[in-house]
Amino acid sequence: MSQNNKTPHNKNQATFILDGKTIPFTEGQTIIQAAMASGEYIPHLCFNPEFKPHGSCKICTVTANGRQAASCTQQTQADMVVESNTKPINDERRALLQMLFVEGNHFCPSCEKSGDCQLQATAYELNMMSPHFDHFSPDRPLDSSHAEYLLDYNRCILCSLCARASSDVDGKNVFSLAGRGIKTHLIVNAKSGKLADTDFTGDDKAAHVCPVGVIIKKRVGFAVPIGKRSFDEHPISATPHPKVRDV
Amino acid sequence: MNMPTKSKLRIATATLAGCFGCHMSLLDIDERLFELIELAEFDRSPLTDIKTCGPCDIGLIEGGLCNAENVHVLREFRANCKILVAVGACAINGGLPAQRNHLSLSMILEEVYHAQHGLVDGFIPNDPELPLPLDQVHPIHEVVKVDYFIPGCPPSGDAIWKVLTDLIAGREPELGHGLIRYD
């Protein structure tokens, strides 16, 4: 470690530099884990601190010692120089968000998750003023078969958090990603493909991890009015561990 | 001595496939309308009832493109406005009208004019004056170059005012937390 490192932390603790700030980390921590532990925000969607990283959305991309890496999978090394909040990186993140918006059908004004949605809040954070690209307008039917929960596939960003929660925590394998490349899509593990034909319940972890508005609890949609929701009050950067609120 | 009067900016506005909610939001700038009218005058707009757009500094477009006339009006605005601004969800991503995009147009027309319960001898309107619907509803940036965007359904009067005053002052418009909203 360099002698002139002005870290306020225990001098035996290893540190790295994030956007000019000295951040402590422990062995094995990824960049985003160490950043979060110090209250620093790195935009992310498929990462959730409670789950193993998936590294798929690439929103959390940073440059680490000059090379681009997903900060949710890249392990921190002592004296690593990481850049996150820079114009070129934020421009690329915004382009990724714009691609997510045009690939699905994201109609925020009529979405029960609006104001609690991490996709939307991250787009606000990164000043996404338009979707820029041409819309795909895909045809993705709803699944309203379950008595308590609705699946709106139009809003899926393929983060796989529901699949990870269902397999790793609930031990059920209700959700999975099928297909490849642009044809990747969320499926429900039942012969009929319907949620009602699985053992999914509202007590499952999988019911509470969707960062967007795919897994929606029925009959409570607008109990908290638009304008009074998590990210209406604070930008997502000020809530680095956003809890998924049931809407 | 008479000072030469500074020429006012010209602003044009139009609603394409929208609900006029964004225009209502423009009126929500309330008493700031007096300030605006000192700086600018309105060309084509539902507020003036002028039917064609002349050379303008700023064009505000509400709504997406659902028929051929929408495309015609949009192109007229693009040709005449130095700065074109997409106002609201429908102009930016098609909004509510675009929720028909995954359905075929013929199926929709059939459902609305023939098949629905209670329609007796229904027929699909075919008056030559009616603009032809597009097969899908498109946001305006898919057809013309758009300079700035004000998201929201509708954007608040404050958001519209912020962008207008930024543009009039020659600043790059910027909406911070609370003013940038998609709902």
Side-chain angles (χ1 to χ4, degrees):
Chain A
M1 242 160 70
S2 64
Q3 292 301 307
N4 57 0
N5 196 339
K6 293 174 190 162
T7 172
H9 312 283
N10 178 345
K11 65 178 181 181
N12 294 323
Q13 185 164 24
T15 61
F16 71 104
I17 306 295
L18 173 63
D19 290 333
K21 291 183 187 170
T22 303
I23 309 287
F25 71 96
T26 51
E27 184 70 31
Q29 263 186 328
T30 60
I31 293 171
I32 202 169
Q33 283 171 337
M36 276 184 159
S38 288
E40 299 296 327
Y41 171 71
I42 296 177
H44 58 273
L45 288 173
C46 74
F47 175 73
N48 177 321
E50 296 181 56
F51 295 91
K52 266 192 302 196
H54 194 239
S56 59
C57 79
K58 305 297 180 196
I59 298 291
C60 74
T61 297
V62 295
T63 58
N65 287 341
R67 297 181 65 163
Q68 286 201 336
S71 65
C72 68
T73 55
Q74 177 68 50
Q75 292 211 345
T76 314
Q77 292 165 19
D79 297 332
M80 188 180 244
V81 176
V82 177
E83 290 191 319
S84 172
N85 191 17
T86 67
K87 185 175 184 304
I89 295 174
N90 284 336
D91 286 348
E92 291 193 29
R93 289 174 177 150
R94 195 178 311 109
L96 291 173
L97 288 168
Q98 286 167 325
M99 287 191 260
L100 288 174
F101 270 87
V102 300
E103 274 176 27
N105 293 309
H106 297 276
F107 295 107
C108 298
S110 56
C111 178
E112 300 93 320
K113 200 66 177 279
S114 190
D116 285 321
C117 169
Q118 291 182 38
L119 175 68
Q120 183 193 59
T122 307
Y124 291 172
E125 183 70 31
L126 292 167
N127 256 326
M128 193 192 102
M129 303 305 286
S130 85
H132 182 78
F133 300 106
D134 286 4
H135 286 73
F136 286 26
S137 299
D139 183 8
R140 299 187 190 164
L142 306 182
D143 177 355
S144 58
S145 61
H146 195 276
E148 290 171 46
Y149 279 81
L150 171 77
L151 295 183
D152 189 337
Y153 294 104
N154 290 293
R155 304 160 182 164
C156 186
I157 57 169
L158 307 173
C159 70
S160 86
L161 276 167
C162 57
R164 283 180 275 165
S166 189
S167 64
D168 300 354
V169 181
D170 305 326
K172 288 188 177 179
N173 289 314
V174 171
F175 300 100
S176 184
L177 295 183
R180 283 178 173 273
I182 195 64
K183 292 181 178 161
T184 309
H185 60 286
L186 180 65
I187 55 164
V188 164
N189 187 11
K191 206 166 185 185
S192 64
K194 295 292 184 191
L195 192 62
D197 295 329
T198 68
D199 51 358
F200 175 87
T201 75
D203 295 329
D204 290 358
K205 186 71 178 169
H208 306 278
V209 293
C210 181
V212 293
V214 178
I215 303 175
I216 292 286
K217 192 173 184 196
K218 291 182 176 179
R219 292 175 286 276
V220 294
F222 294 93
V224 178
I226 299 274
K228 303 271 184 203
R229 299 177 170 201
S230 314
F231 305 122
D232 293 330
E233 288 162 18
H234 305 287
I236 194 167
S237 56
T239 46
H241 299 274
K243 289 274 182 267
V244 175
R245 180 154 81 194
D246 282 333
V247 293
Chain B
M1 202 174 94
N2 289 334
M3 294 289 285
T5 50
K6 197 180 168 195
S7 64
K8 289 185 175 181
L9 290 174
R10 285 189 77 78
I11 299 177
T13 79
T15 294
L16 308 178
C19 71
F20 279 88
C22 298
H23 274 80
M24 298 308 291
S25 247
L26 172 61
L27 298 180
D28 276 345
I29 65 176
D30 298 329
E31 72 274 15
R32 289 169 290 187
L33 274 168
F34 293 114
E35 217 175 304
L36 182 61
I37 224 72
E38 290 294 317
L39 301 167
E41 55 193 0
F42 281 91
D43 194 276
R44 176 181 173 153
S45 168
L47 309 175
T48 58
D49 213 23
I50 297 171
K51 305 295 187 196
T52 54
C53 181
C56 283
D57 297 290
I58 301 171
L60 305 176
I61 298 284
E62 165 188 347
L65 304 161
C66 79
N67 64 35
E69 196 239 354
N70 294 154
V71 179
H72 174 81
V73 174
L74 177 64
R75 289 196 165 134
E76 180 192 274
F77 267 65
R78 181 66 279 182
N80 282 286
C81 300
K82 290 181 195 158
I83 297 172
L84 195 66
V85 185
V87 184
C90 300
I92 290 173
N93 72 2
L96 188 142
Q99 297 197 26
R100 74 161 159 94
N101 281 1
H102 65 283
L103 303 168
S104 82
L105 183 61
S106 58
M107 196 271 271
I108 296 169
L109 291 171
E110 193 64 28
E111 177 75 17
V112 171
Y113 292 104
H114 279 152
Q116 240 175 29
H117 181 72
L119 291 175
V120 180
D121 298 331
F123 70 97
I124 295 170
N126 60 359
D127 190 300
E129 287 207 354
L130 288 174
L132 287 173
L134 306 180
D135 64 338
Q136 289 195 326
V137 177
H138 295 275
I140 65 172
H141 75 263
E142 292 185 10
V143 173
V144 297
K145 162 91 166 62
V146 178
D147 301 301
Y148 297 102
F149 301 83
I150 314 178
C153 185
S156 64
D158 287 343
I160 296 173
W161 180 245
K162 177 74 168 63
V163 171
L164 277 181
T165 49
D166 281 350
L167 287 176
I168 290 170
R171 290 188 295 264
E172 193 67 14
E174 201 174 314
L175 299 173
H177 178 71
L179 287 183
I180 174 171
R181 301 186 61 107
Y182 302 160
D183 57 13

